[in-house]
Amino acid sequence: MPDTVDALIRAQAKLGDKPFVIDTSSRMSYAELDSVTSSLADGFVGAGIGKGTRVGLIMPNSVRWVQLALALTRVGAVLVPLSTLLTARELAAQLRTASVQYLIAVEEFRGHRYLDDLPELPALRQVWRADELPTGAGQIGDLTDTVVPADPMVVMFTSGSSGPPKGVVHSHASALGAVRSGLRARCIDAETRLYLPMPFFWVGGFGSGILSALIAGATLVTEQIPEPEATLRLLEREKVTLFRGWPDQAEALARRAAGADLSALRPGSLDALLPADQRAEPGARAKLFGMTESFGPYCGYPADTDMPRSAWGSCGKPFDGMEVRIADVDSGKPLPPGAVGMIALRGPHTLRGMCRRSREDLFTVDGFYPTGDLGHLDDDGFLFYHGRSDDMFKVSGATVYPSEVAAALREIEGVRAAFVTGVDGRVGAAVVCDGYTSEELRAEARARLSAFKVPTVWLLLGSEDDIARGATGKVDVRRLRELLGGQA
């Protein structure tokens, strides 16, 4: 199998006029992908970009994003996708951390103006607006031949619930290998027409969207700002077979779907949009689990297939190319099946490094990457997630895992989202729901949780938008704690 982006694009060019990426205003075939990215890459080389050059890209989802990103990686440049949610200060910090030398940016998106207050940065040589890029004749063959699978391909920023974002480095081989290992679990093949609105600057958009479609020979359908009515028309018009948007988005669409023809959707899509007889029982299907450091999911189970009953509620099994070890949080010693500890990863699909961090800082002496996530493996090798090691807290001496409490709250009919954290030694929950009082939610929680896990501090919200998130989209736990603290 091709192990560089250039080799992959050349191999898939045989698909000719088959659509590769479709957005709301344009589309690109596999043949056009080859020719357009070749021309763009030639222009980049002429402007001074070469193997190892770090190039930042900040723009919303579009066919153009795909063209620019893949053109850069074809010639061995290192792509640095940047969040459209960044403030000017955050953008400058990430450009500095990744030592970005060239920056391609839209001027404005959703009220963010990225270039107005950009300071001088030591490594930054040139800034291009997305509509003023150099192009060439597409003569890049000799240069692409120098790119090898071990070369760095991308620096993707991620952050936990607190702390500055981390620039995670992946090679062509680690990224493409990670995507290949999860295609079956994500039900993506050459016949798939995949709807995925996740931003391309996250690994969920770049890996699970763009690269998944490219490797499988599938068609990717995306949009910049999903709105229910427009999204339904898009799904209908493009005959989308696999919906992998957000769960709350799927539920909102389902409420408006009367009259829309979604008959092309197949199992593996989010349940809310499927006919009742195709939906799984709660917990029967794996929750694909991964992180930027593993270039997306490293654990799962075919999304259209029930797991064995004993594994319900798990994340499935580790994919080929990923070894999972559960270790004691304090000592780092391996733990037996059933014991909860920190999840550590090892294998060819893990990160190759991190900006401004040494390998000794990141990995154990035997090559495992401690993820900071808590979990346990059962006797059959299924992984169960228990939250973040820095999020767990004690109530009257007993350990509470926020993810366990949140999962139980989401089982309550009418609860669309739940966020849990510790508040001064008590369990706090911010819940997005309709028609419940906190007393009614507490009664429902008592039926599902041990007494010490039942939230005593409640905040009822009308929308997930009321929950603060960082630039990488993760919940800001510190601000969640402050929000709930005001209810105590």
Side-chain angles (χ1 to χ4, degrees), residues 242-360:
L242 189 64
F243 180 94
R244 301 303 297 176
W246 293 279
D248 59 329
Q249 180 194 20
E251 291 173 6
L253 291 173
R255 291 193 291 270
R256 296 170 171 83
D261 181 6
L262 302 181
S263 58
L265 288 177
R266 68 189 191 200
S269 300
L270 295 189
D271 276 353
L273 288 174
L274 293 173
D277 62 351
Q278 293 183 18
R279 298 177 190 173
E281 292 186 53
R285 303 284 167 86
K287 308 165 188 172
L288 288 175
F289 187 60
M291 59 197 316
T292 304
E293 290 90 332
S294 60
F295 207 74
Y298 63 82
C299 194
Y301 203 80
D304 58 357
T305 305
D306 288 358
M307 296 182 290
R309 187 79 193 207
S310 62
W312 283 24
S314 79
C315 304
K317 289 186 174 183
F319 297 147
D320 290 343
M322 189 64 72
E323 182 181 356
V324 173
R325 180 170 76 185
I326 306 299
D328 181 82
V329 173
D330 297 318
S331 69
K333 293 181 179 178
L335 295 173
V340 176
M342 186 180 294
I343 302 170
L345 307 177
R346 183 171 67 180
H349 303 159
T350 55
L351 70 163
R352 302 295 88 188
M354 198 174 286
C355 294
R356 302 177 186 268
R357 300 281 299 278
S358 71
R359 187 169 180 84
E360 291 73 20

Side-chain angles (χ1 to χ4, degrees), residues 147-231:
V147 181
V148 299
D151 286 336
M153 182 187 83
V154 65
V155 174
M156 302 211 76
F157 278 94
T158 183
S159 68
S161 57
S162 61
K166 302 169 290 186
V168 177
V169 181
H170 277 281
S171 67
H172 288 254
S174 68
L176 297 179
V179 172
R180 280 195 188 98
S181 70
L183 284 181
R184 174 67 190 95
R186 295 199 296 278
C187 298
I188 299 174
D189 58 30
E191 303 306 314
T192 301
R193 295 177 71 86
L194 167 68
Y195 171 80
L196 194 140
M198 279 73 173
F200 292 160
F201 52 76
W202 289 338
V203 73
F206 186 41
S208 297
I210 296 170
L211 295 182
S212 290
L214 180 59
I215 290 171
T219 296
L220 174 65
V221 180
T222 192
E223 54 186 339
Q224 295 182 4
I225 307 173
E227 297 288 349
E229 295 302 328
T231 300

Side-chain angles (χ1 to χ4, degrees), residues 4-13 33-34 37 70 74 214:
T4 67
V5 171
D6 177 70
L8 185 57
I9 290 174
R10 291 177 189 273
Q12 298 295 52
L33 170 68
D34 186 21
T37 58
L70 298 186
R74 287 191 77 168
L214 180 59

Side-chain angles (χ1 to χ4, degrees), residues 15 28 67 229 253 353 392 402 487:
L15 297 174
M28 174 175 60
Q67 292 170 344
E229 295 302 328
L253 291 173
M392 68 180 187
Q487 308 299 308

